Amino acid sequence: MVRDVPDNSGGAGGGWGMGRPWGPIRAQSAEGRELAGFLRALVDASGLTMTAIAGGISWSKTQVGSYLAGSQLPEQDFVLALVAATVAEPRLRERRRTEALTRLRAAEHPAPERKPAQTPAGHVPAGGGYAVELAEARRQQLDTYDRLTRSLEQQAVLERTAHNSAQLVMALLYMITKLEQRVDGLCAERDELRGQGQAHELEQAQRQLERALDQERRAQEELRRAQEKQRRAEELAARVQHLVRQLTDELDRLRAGDPDPQADEPRQAAEVVPAAGAGDPVGDDIEQALAKAAAVNDADGEAIERVSEELGEESPRVVPVVRDNLTYRDNLTTGGDAARAVIRARAAEAALLGPGRAAVRRWELLVADAIRMLGPDDPETLAVYGNHAGVVGAGGDHAWAVQLYEDLVDRCEQVLGPNHRESLVARNGHALNLGNLGRHAEAAKLLEPLIDDCARELGPGHPETLIARNNQAFNIGYAGHWGRAAYYFETLLRDRRLVLGPDDPDTLTTRSNHAYCVARAEGAAEAIRLFDALVLDCVQLLGPDHPETLAARRHRAELSRPGGR
């Protein structure tokens, strides 16, 4: 429904409608003031700005303002065009045309006005008179002018900040690509030196790799900050742009009828575009580049916070970036809970990568983050360290995994105690990778006391206890004791059936391991019987194409060949 227009002005000034303020009506006759007030009410009801009105009816904004102020009597074409632009509903538009033309005719032939009664010297007539009204309009103009000038300054700051952040995002993406290539090269160099036994060169390559990983982590952090600053600056710029349009229209209304109202209108500040760097980014020193990126991020962040405060908007809470070597205790007092939440979120993302070089790099970066943000002995840091070691081992670098797990076991036992779950898990991972290196007897020896500790601290049916028993049986078998390994797998199978159920994939894997050890210890006949039963169950439970089903079929086929065991 179109809002109706009042039938009278209720005064010579801005009494029409309930919208933004207008300047005083300057018409000399009551009929002229009535017409100007009626036309202003049409504009208020439409919700259009003065700029939109002027563009829609092909009259200049100065001329529109003069007609709406009553400084000049409008032409009939203007009145009809204004009604057409401001009233959408056809029947109401026709009614307003009639009313507007009636008022225009009355304004063209005004009735003679009575001479006002003389008032004592110094007495101001009721309502303040035209001079008081004009002074109030001037005061409002100055106030609106100041607010518009400040909004234009804010707009320029935000446009410059968004531009800086966009440029910084591109530079950091390029830097991160180069750092990833450098890390890949240093990883390959380190792996090659590890096999050659060159201790000094290996240590130097490891230091370079750690520095490159730290630089990559810092570049990723600055990238996240730059992207957030760009988003925030663009969001605030849109809000300020809306405010600029509102204030511009308010100033147009207050200046309606003034001569040359644009003469002293505030101009938008020119956009400041930073000069492009003369050097090649690839050849720039990485540390200096990161320091510059951090400085730009800091400056842009301060600008955004300042504009947010001026707009009366609370700045979003951001986890502070720790750039210096704070101790664990220092970080606890500066937002440890928030830092732990960040580490957990990044760990969840890294876990989705599975094994592989990309996952190893991601966990390396996360270890550096956790140490910097929480300290080396924080339980969250130790958990990240354990995941890193596990991914390294799963990727096939068992020698490096053994080194990582040895260090992790020492840290966990010192910080958490030897019987803590994380300590027991680290001991299990250490033994597993020793076995995968071919050091089966050494691994089996470490696993024997671990099984007792897991059963005592976690329970005999706990998954970690069962995993340790599986790894012990595996290493005993490959150490040459296949009969003993078959017995250990048989007892493990019984317990897994009780704890997990006969259809659990881990139970089926244990059946396969047991049958394999039986084949190595006792010969093919009994093992074939075990594998035949296993294949049938795997097909029924997992499907014919499941990896566990295919592995069981392959082992069964190997045993059927002459000399197969």
Side-chain angles (χ1 to χ4, degrees):
M1 178 181 292
V2 179
R3 184 172 63 87
D4 206 354
V5 180
D7 291 332
N8 53 68
S9 67
W16 286 85
M18 299 298 291
R20 285 158 288 177
W22 289 92
I25 291 178
R26 304 164 187 264
Q28 298 299 313
S29 66
E31 291 82 358
R33 291 192 290 274
E34 181 73 16
L35 173 63
F38 180 83
L39 297 179
R40 287 183 174 188
L42 292 176
V43 174
D44 281 338
S46 72
L48 297 173
T49 65
M50 291 282 286
T51 301
I53 292 288
I57 63 177
S58 300
W59 263 267
S60 72
K61 193 161 62 173
T62 301
Q63 190 65 54
V64 172
S66 179
Y67 287 153
L68 294 179
S71 301
Q72 292 179 270
L73 193 64
E75 306 167 16
Q76 178 173 311
D77 289 345
F78 171 82
V79 172
L80 296 177
L82 184 68
V83 172
T86 55
V87 184
E89 203 277 319
R91 287 179 297 178
L92 183 60
R93 184 191 308 133
E94 186 60 33
R95 178 181 162 191
R96 294 294 179 243
R97 282 165 53 95
T98 302
E99 292 173 350
L101 291 176
T102 299
R103 286 177 166 83
L104 177 60
R105 299 292 175 260
E108 289 173 341
H109 306 285
E113 292 198 14
R114 292 180 301 172
K115 185 176 181 180
Q118 188 171 357
T119 56
H123 176 72
V124 179
Y130 177 75
V132 174
E133 190 177 351
L134 182 62
E136 174 61 19
R138 289 296 186 188
R139 186 196 65 76
Q140 291 183 359
Q141 283 185 30
L142 291 174
D143 178 67
T144 303
Y145 181 93
D146 289 342
R147 287 188 290 146
L148 179 58
T149 301
R150 183 59 190 145
S151 293
L152 290 171
E153 291 172 354
Q154 292 170 342
Q155 189 176 45
V157 168
L158 291 169
E159 288 177 353
R160 182 172 61 250
T161 299
H163 177 85
N164 289 347
S165 296
Q167 294 291 96
L168 185 58
V169 165
M170 296 300 296
L172 286 167
L173 287 171
Y174 182 79
M175 181 191 298
I176 289 168
T177 299
K178 292 299 180 182
L179 281 168
E180 287 176 347
Q181 295 172 357
R182 176 171 170 76
V183 167
D184 286 341
L186 289 170
C187 284
E189 180 183 349
R190 179 201 61 193
D191 295 342
E192 183 179 350
L193 290 171
R194 185 180 288 132
Q196 296 174 359
Q198 301 180 30
H200 176 70
E201 290 79 1
L202 176 61
E203 183 180 353
Q204 184 178 4
Q206 184 64 36
R207 282 199 303 268
Q208 291 177 349
L209 176 60
E210 289 173 357
R211 186 185 183 201
L213 286 167
D214 179 66
Q215 290 171 339
E216 184 181 357
R217 178 196 61 76
R218 288 158 56 198
Q220 292 279 9
E221 184 62 44
E222 295 302 336
L223 175 62
R224 283 191 289 270
R225 294 180 66 207
Q227 289 171 330
E228 173 60 22
K229 298 296 182 298
Q230 182 182 2
R231 182 197 66 77
R232 184 72 175 143
E234 291 172 350
E235 180 182 275
L236 288 174
R239 180 178 169 185
V240 170
Q241 178 62 36
H242 179 68
L243 183 59
V244 165
R245 285 196 295 266
Q246 284 186 329
L247 291 171
T248 300
D249 186 56
E250 184 174 325
L251 195 60
D252 289 339
R253 288 164 172 260
L254 290 169
R255 285 176 167 176
D258 283 356
D260 194 12
Q262 283 80 32
D264 60 344
E265 187 169 316
R267 299 291 188 259
Q268 182 167 347
E271 180 180 349
V272 180
V273 179
D280 179 6
V282 180
D284 290 342
D285 182 83
I286 294 175
E287 292 297 333
Q288 291 183 3
L290 285 171
K292 290 178 181 177
V296 172
N297 266 332
D298 289 342
D300 289 346
E302 291 172 1
I304 289 174
E305 288 178 8
R306 183 173 64 253
V307 173
S308 296
E309 291 175 0
E310 290 171 355
L311 292 173
E313 181 174 295
E314 183 178 355
S315 299
R317 294 178 63 84
V318 179
V319 177
V321 179
V322 183
R323 293 196 180 87
D324 51 358
N325 294 321
L326 297 177
T327 65
Y328 169 50
R329 186 180 303 276
D330 291 332
N331 279 285
L332 277 180
T333 61
T334 56
D337 290 341
R340 287 188 186 88
V342 171
I343 295 299
R344 290 192 189 108
R346 294 181 188 172
E349 294 176 0
L352 298 175
L353 295 175
R357 175 166 291 186
V360 170
R361 182 190 298 117
R362 181 71 67 85
W363 284 106
E364 280 184 299
L365 291 170
L366 192 51
V367 167
D369 280 344
I371 291 173
R372 181 181 295 272
M373 297 171 70
L374 301 173
D377 297 334
D378 188 89
E380 204 71 48
T381 302
L382 297 177
V384 170
Y385 201 99
N387 286 326
H388 174 223
V391 168
V392 169
D397 195 343
H398 302 298
W400 186 19
V402 165
Q403 295 177 15
L404 293 174
Y405 273 118
E406 284 178 348
D407 182 48
L408 179 61
V409 169
D410 289 341
R411 289 189 184 187
C412 285
E413 290 185 344
Q414 290 175 11
V415 175
L416 305 174
N419 296 323
H420 191 277
R421 181 182 180 278
E422 291 297 330
S423 300
L424 300 175
V425 171
R427 288 166 63 188
N428 204 350
H430 178 222
L432 172 66
N433 282 276
L434 277 175
N436 288 332
L437 277 177
R439 296 159 63 177
H440 300 296
E442 187 178 350
K445 185 177 180 180
L446 291 174
L447 285 163
E448 187 171 354
L450 175 62
I451 292 171
D452 293 338
D453 293 341
C454 285
R456 183 182 64 253
E457 299 297 331
L458 305 176
H462 192 278
E464 285 300 327
T465 306
L466 299 178
I467 290 172
R469 289 174 60 188
N470 180 85
N471 293 344
Q472 182 196 35
F474 167 85
N475 281 287
I476 285 175
Y478 277 94
H481 308 290
W482 292 109
R484 187 177 165 197
Y487 170 75
Y488 281 168
F489 273 121
E490 184 178 2
T491 59
L492 176 62
L493 177 59
R494 181 188 63 223
D495 292 341
R496 275 190 163 162
R497 279 175 171 155
L498 289 172
V499 174
L500 304 176
D503 300 339
D504 188 87
D506 284 344
T507 303
L508 298 176
T509 300
T510 304
R511 287 175 62 185
S512 179
N513 291 339
H514 173 236
Y516 182 81
C517 291
V518 167
R520 300 295 298 267
E522 303 176 15
E526 176 62 15
I528 288 174
R529 184 186 68 79
L530 294 173
F531 273 119
D532 283 342
L534 177 61
V535 169
L536 291 175
D537 290 342
C538 284
V539 169
Q540 182 179 359
L541 297 170
L542 306 176
D545 299 324
H546 191 276
E548 196 67 44
T549 306
L550 298 176
R553 288 186 185 277
R554 185 175 65 253
H555 290 313
R556 170 65 176 80
E558 289 173 354
L559 290 172
S560 299
R561 292 199 298 266
R565 287 203 328 169

